[in-house]
Short mmCIF file of all heavy atoms in Angstrom, two decimals:
data_model
loop_
_atom_site.label_atom_id
_atom_site.label_comp_id
_atom_site.label_asym_id
_atom_site.label_seq_id
_atom_site.Cartn_x
_atom_site.Cartn_y
_atom_site.Cartn_z
N VAL A 1279 6.03 -27.12 3.35
CA VAL A 1279 6.49 -27.36 4.73
C VAL A 1279 5.39 -26.99 5.72
O VAL A 1279 5.08 -27.76 6.65
CB VAL A 1279 7.76 -26.54 5.01
CG1 VAL A 1279 8.09 -26.57 6.50
CG2 VAL A 1279 8.93 -27.07 4.20
N ILE A 1280 4.79 -25.82 5.54
CA ILE A 1280 3.74 -25.36 6.43
C ILE A 1280 2.53 -26.29 6.37
O ILE A 1280 1.92 -26.62 7.40
CB ILE A 1280 3.34 -23.91 6.08
CG1 ILE A 1280 4.52 -22.96 6.34
CG2 ILE A 1280 2.11 -23.46 6.87
CD1 ILE A 1280 4.31 -21.57 5.81
N TYR A 1281 2.18 -26.73 5.17
CA TYR A 1281 1.02 -27.63 5.00
C TYR A 1281 1.26 -28.96 5.72
O TYR A 1281 0.37 -29.48 6.40
CB TYR A 1281 0.78 -27.87 3.52
CG TYR A 1281 -0.37 -28.81 3.21
CD1 TYR A 1281 -1.69 -28.36 3.25
CD2 TYR A 1281 -0.14 -30.15 2.91
CE1 TYR A 1281 -2.74 -29.22 2.98
CE2 TYR A 1281 -1.18 -31.01 2.64
CZ TYR A 1281 -2.48 -30.55 2.67
OH TYR A 1281 -3.51 -31.40 2.41
N ASP A 1282 2.48 -29.51 5.59
CA ASP A 1282 2.78 -30.79 6.24
C ASP A 1282 2.68 -30.66 7.77
O ASP A 1282 2.15 -31.55 8.44
CB ASP A 1282 4.19 -31.25 5.85
CG ASP A 1282 4.27 -31.70 4.40
OD1 ASP A 1282 3.20 -31.94 3.80
OD2 ASP A 1282 5.39 -31.76 3.85
N LEU A 1283 3.20 -29.55 8.31
CA LEU A 1283 3.10 -29.34 9.76
C LEU A 1283 1.65 -29.16 10.20
O LEU A 1283 1.24 -29.66 11.26
CB LEU A 1283 3.92 -28.12 10.16
CG LEU A 1283 5.44 -28.25 10.06
CD1 LEU A 1283 6.11 -26.91 10.36
CD2 LEU A 1283 5.96 -29.32 11.01
N MET A 1284 0.89 -28.47 9.37
CA MET A 1284 -0.52 -28.26 9.69
C MET A 1284 -1.27 -29.59 9.69
O MET A 1284 -2.08 -29.87 10.59
CB MET A 1284 -1.14 -27.29 8.68
CG MET A 1284 -2.59 -26.96 8.93
SD MET A 1284 -3.15 -25.56 7.93
CE MET A 1284 -2.76 -26.12 6.27
N MET A 1285 -1.00 -30.44 8.69
CA MET A 1285 -1.68 -31.73 8.62
C MET A 1285 -1.26 -32.63 9.78
O MET A 1285 -2.08 -33.39 10.31
CB MET A 1285 -1.37 -32.40 7.28
CG MET A 1285 -2.00 -31.70 6.08
SD MET A 1285 -3.79 -31.42 6.27
CE MET A 1285 -4.39 -33.10 6.39
N LEU A 1286 0.02 -32.56 10.18
CA LEU A 1286 0.48 -33.35 11.33
C LEU A 1286 -0.29 -32.96 12.58
O LEU A 1286 -0.77 -33.82 13.33
CB LEU A 1286 1.98 -33.14 11.54
CG LEU A 1286 2.59 -33.80 12.79
CD1 LEU A 1286 2.42 -35.31 12.73
CD2 LEU A 1286 4.06 -33.41 12.94
N SER A 1287 -0.45 -31.66 12.82
CA SER A 1287 -1.18 -31.20 14.01
C SER A 1287 -2.66 -31.57 13.92
O SER A 1287 -3.26 -31.95 14.93
CB SER A 1287 -1.02 -29.68 14.17
OG SER A 1287 -1.61 -28.98 13.09
N VAL A 1288 -3.23 -31.50 12.73
CA VAL A 1288 -4.64 -31.88 12.56
C VAL A 1288 -4.84 -33.37 12.84
O VAL A 1288 -5.80 -33.77 13.52
CB VAL A 1288 -5.12 -31.53 11.13
CG1 VAL A 1288 -6.49 -32.18 10.85
CG2 VAL A 1288 -5.22 -30.03 10.95
N ILE A 1289 -3.93 -34.20 12.33
CA ILE A 1289 -4.04 -35.65 12.56
C ILE A 1289 -3.96 -35.96 14.05
O ILE A 1289 -4.74 -36.77 14.58
CB ILE A 1289 -2.92 -36.39 11.79
CG1 ILE A 1289 -3.20 -36.33 10.28
CG2 ILE A 1289 -2.83 -37.85 12.24
CD1 ILE A 1289 -2.07 -36.84 9.43
N ILE A 1290 -3.01 -35.32 14.74
CA ILE A 1290 -2.88 -35.54 16.19
C ILE A 1290 -4.16 -35.12 16.91
O ILE A 1290 -4.68 -35.85 17.77
CB ILE A 1290 -1.67 -34.76 16.74
CG1 ILE A 1290 -0.37 -35.39 16.24
CG2 ILE A 1290 -1.69 -34.75 18.28
CD1 ILE A 1290 0.87 -34.60 16.61
N MET A 1291 -4.69 -33.96 16.55
CA MET A 1291 -5.91 -33.47 17.20
C MET A 1291 -7.10 -34.39 16.92
O MET A 1291 -7.91 -34.67 17.81
CB MET A 1291 -6.22 -32.05 16.74
CG MET A 1291 -5.28 -31.00 17.31
SD MET A 1291 -5.78 -29.31 16.91
CE MET A 1291 -5.46 -29.26 15.14
N VAL A 1292 -7.22 -34.89 15.69
CA VAL A 1292 -8.34 -35.77 15.34
C VAL A 1292 -8.24 -37.08 16.10
O VAL A 1292 -9.24 -37.58 16.65
CB VAL A 1292 -8.37 -36.01 13.82
CG1 VAL A 1292 -9.35 -37.13 13.48
CG2 VAL A 1292 -8.76 -34.74 13.08
N VAL A 1293 -7.03 -37.67 16.13
CA VAL A 1293 -6.84 -38.94 16.84
C VAL A 1293 -7.18 -38.78 18.32
O VAL A 1293 -7.91 -39.60 18.90
CB VAL A 1293 -5.39 -39.44 16.66
CG1 VAL A 1293 -5.13 -40.63 17.59
CG2 VAL A 1293 -5.15 -39.85 15.22
N VAL A 1294 -6.65 -37.72 18.94
CA VAL A 1294 -6.94 -37.48 20.36
C VAL A 1294 -8.44 -37.26 20.56
O VAL A 1294 -9.04 -37.81 21.50
CB VAL A 1294 -6.15 -36.25 20.87
CG1 VAL A 1294 -6.62 -35.85 22.26
CG2 VAL A 1294 -4.66 -36.57 20.89
N GLY A 1295 -9.05 -36.47 19.69
CA GLY A 1295 -10.48 -36.20 19.81
C GLY A 1295 -11.32 -37.46 19.69
O GLY A 1295 -12.27 -37.67 20.47
N VAL A 1296 -10.97 -38.32 18.72
CA VAL A 1296 -11.72 -39.57 18.52
C VAL A 1296 -11.59 -40.48 19.74
O VAL A 1296 -12.58 -41.06 20.22
CB VAL A 1296 -11.23 -40.30 17.25
CG1 VAL A 1296 -11.80 -41.71 17.18
CG2 VAL A 1296 -11.63 -39.51 16.01
N ILE A 1297 -10.37 -40.61 20.26
CA ILE A 1297 -10.15 -41.47 21.44
C ILE A 1297 -10.91 -40.95 22.65
O ILE A 1297 -11.57 -41.70 23.37
CB ILE A 1297 -8.64 -41.59 21.74
CG1 ILE A 1297 -7.94 -42.36 20.62
CG2 ILE A 1297 -8.41 -42.27 23.08
CD1 ILE A 1297 -6.44 -42.43 20.76
N VAL A 1298 -10.82 -39.65 22.88
CA VAL A 1298 -11.51 -39.05 24.03
C VAL A 1298 -13.02 -39.23 23.93
O VAL A 1298 -13.68 -39.61 24.90
CB VAL A 1298 -11.14 -37.56 24.17
CG1 VAL A 1298 -12.05 -36.87 25.19
CG2 VAL A 1298 -9.68 -37.40 24.57
N MET A 1299 -13.57 -38.98 22.74
CA MET A 1299 -15.01 -39.13 22.57
C MET A 1299 -15.44 -40.59 22.67
O MET A 1299 -16.52 -40.89 23.20
CB MET A 1299 -15.44 -38.53 21.23
CG MET A 1299 -15.28 -37.02 21.13
SD MET A 1299 -16.07 -36.13 22.50
CE MET A 1299 -17.79 -36.54 22.23
N ALA A 1300 -14.58 -41.50 22.18
CA ALA A 1300 -14.91 -42.93 22.29
C ALA A 1300 -14.95 -43.36 23.76
O ALA A 1300 -15.87 -44.08 24.19
CB ALA A 1300 -13.88 -43.75 21.52
N LEU A 1301 -13.97 -42.91 24.53
CA LEU A 1301 -13.98 -43.23 25.97
C LEU A 1301 -15.16 -42.59 26.67
O LEU A 1301 -15.78 -43.21 27.56
CB LEU A 1301 -12.66 -42.74 26.59
CG LEU A 1301 -11.40 -43.50 26.21
CD1 LEU A 1301 -10.16 -42.80 26.76
CD2 LEU A 1301 -11.46 -44.94 26.70
N TYR A 1302 -15.49 -41.38 26.27
CA TYR A 1302 -16.62 -40.68 26.88
C TYR A 1302 -17.93 -41.45 26.67
O TYR A 1302 -18.69 -41.69 27.63
CB TYR A 1302 -16.73 -39.28 26.28
CG TYR A 1302 -17.98 -38.54 26.65
CD1 TYR A 1302 -18.14 -37.96 27.91
CD2 TYR A 1302 -19.02 -38.40 25.73
CE1 TYR A 1302 -19.30 -37.29 28.25
CE2 TYR A 1302 -20.18 -37.73 26.06
CZ TYR A 1302 -20.32 -37.18 27.32
OH TYR A 1302 -21.47 -36.51 27.64
N PHE A 1303 -18.18 -41.86 25.43
CA PHE A 1303 -19.44 -42.58 25.16
C PHE A 1303 -19.42 -43.98 25.74
O PHE A 1303 -20.47 -44.52 26.13
CB PHE A 1303 -19.69 -42.62 23.65
CG PHE A 1303 -20.21 -41.32 23.10
CD1 PHE A 1303 -19.41 -40.51 22.30
CD2 PHE A 1303 -21.49 -40.90 23.39
CE1 PHE A 1303 -19.89 -39.31 21.79
CE2 PHE A 1303 -21.98 -39.69 22.89
CZ PHE A 1303 -21.17 -38.90 22.09
N PHE A 1304 -18.24 -44.60 25.80
CA PHE A 1304 -18.16 -45.92 26.44
C PHE A 1304 -18.56 -45.84 27.90
O PHE A 1304 -19.37 -46.62 28.40
CB PHE A 1304 -16.73 -46.47 26.31
CG PHE A 1304 -16.49 -47.70 27.13
CD1 PHE A 1304 -16.97 -48.93 26.71
CD2 PHE A 1304 -15.80 -47.63 28.33
CE1 PHE A 1304 -16.76 -50.08 27.47
CE2 PHE A 1304 -15.58 -48.77 29.11
CZ PHE A 1304 -16.07 -49.99 28.68
N VAL A 1305 -17.97 -44.86 28.61
CA VAL A 1305 -18.29 -44.69 30.03
C VAL A 1305 -19.75 -44.28 30.21
O VAL A 1305 -20.44 -44.75 31.12
CB VAL A 1305 -17.35 -43.63 30.66
CG1 VAL A 1305 -17.79 -43.29 32.08
CG2 VAL A 1305 -15.92 -44.13 30.65
N LEU A 1306 -20.24 -43.41 29.32
CA LEU A 1306 -21.61 -42.94 29.41
C LEU A 1306 -22.61 -44.08 29.28
O LEU A 1306 -23.63 -44.14 30.01
CB LEU A 1306 -21.88 -41.90 28.31
CG LEU A 1306 -23.20 -41.15 28.36
CD1 LEU A 1306 -23.25 -40.24 29.58
CD2 LEU A 1306 -23.39 -40.33 27.09
N ILE A 1307 -22.31 -45.03 28.40
CA ILE A 1307 -23.24 -46.14 28.17
C ILE A 1307 -23.00 -47.29 29.16
O ILE A 1307 -23.93 -47.85 29.73
CB ILE A 1307 -23.09 -46.65 26.72
CG1 ILE A 1307 -23.52 -45.54 25.74
CG2 ILE A 1307 -23.92 -47.91 26.49
CD1 ILE A 1307 -23.23 -45.85 24.29
N ARG A 1308 -21.72 -47.63 29.33
CA ARG A 1308 -21.39 -48.78 30.18
C ARG A 1308 -21.77 -48.57 31.64
O ARG A 1308 -22.24 -49.47 32.33
CB ARG A 1308 -19.88 -49.05 30.06
CG ARG A 1308 -19.37 -50.17 30.98
CD ARG A 1308 -19.89 -51.53 30.52
NE ARG A 1308 -19.34 -52.58 31.33
CZ ARG A 1308 -19.77 -52.94 32.54
NH1 ARG A 1308 -20.79 -52.29 33.09
NH2 ARG A 1308 -19.20 -53.94 33.20
#
Side-chain angles (χ1 to χ4, degrees):
V1279 169
I1280 295 170
Y1281 179 80
D1282 289 343
L1283 290 174
M1284 182 168 56
M1285 291 308 298
L1286 175 61
S1287 64
V1288 168
I1289 290 171
I1290 290 174
M1291 287 187 290
V1292 169
V1293 170
V1294 170
V1296 169
I1297 292 175
V1298 169
M1299 293 308 296
L1301 290 173
Y1302 170 76
F1303 282 109
F1304 169 77
V1305 172
L1306 188 67
I1307 295 172
R1308 175 69 176 80

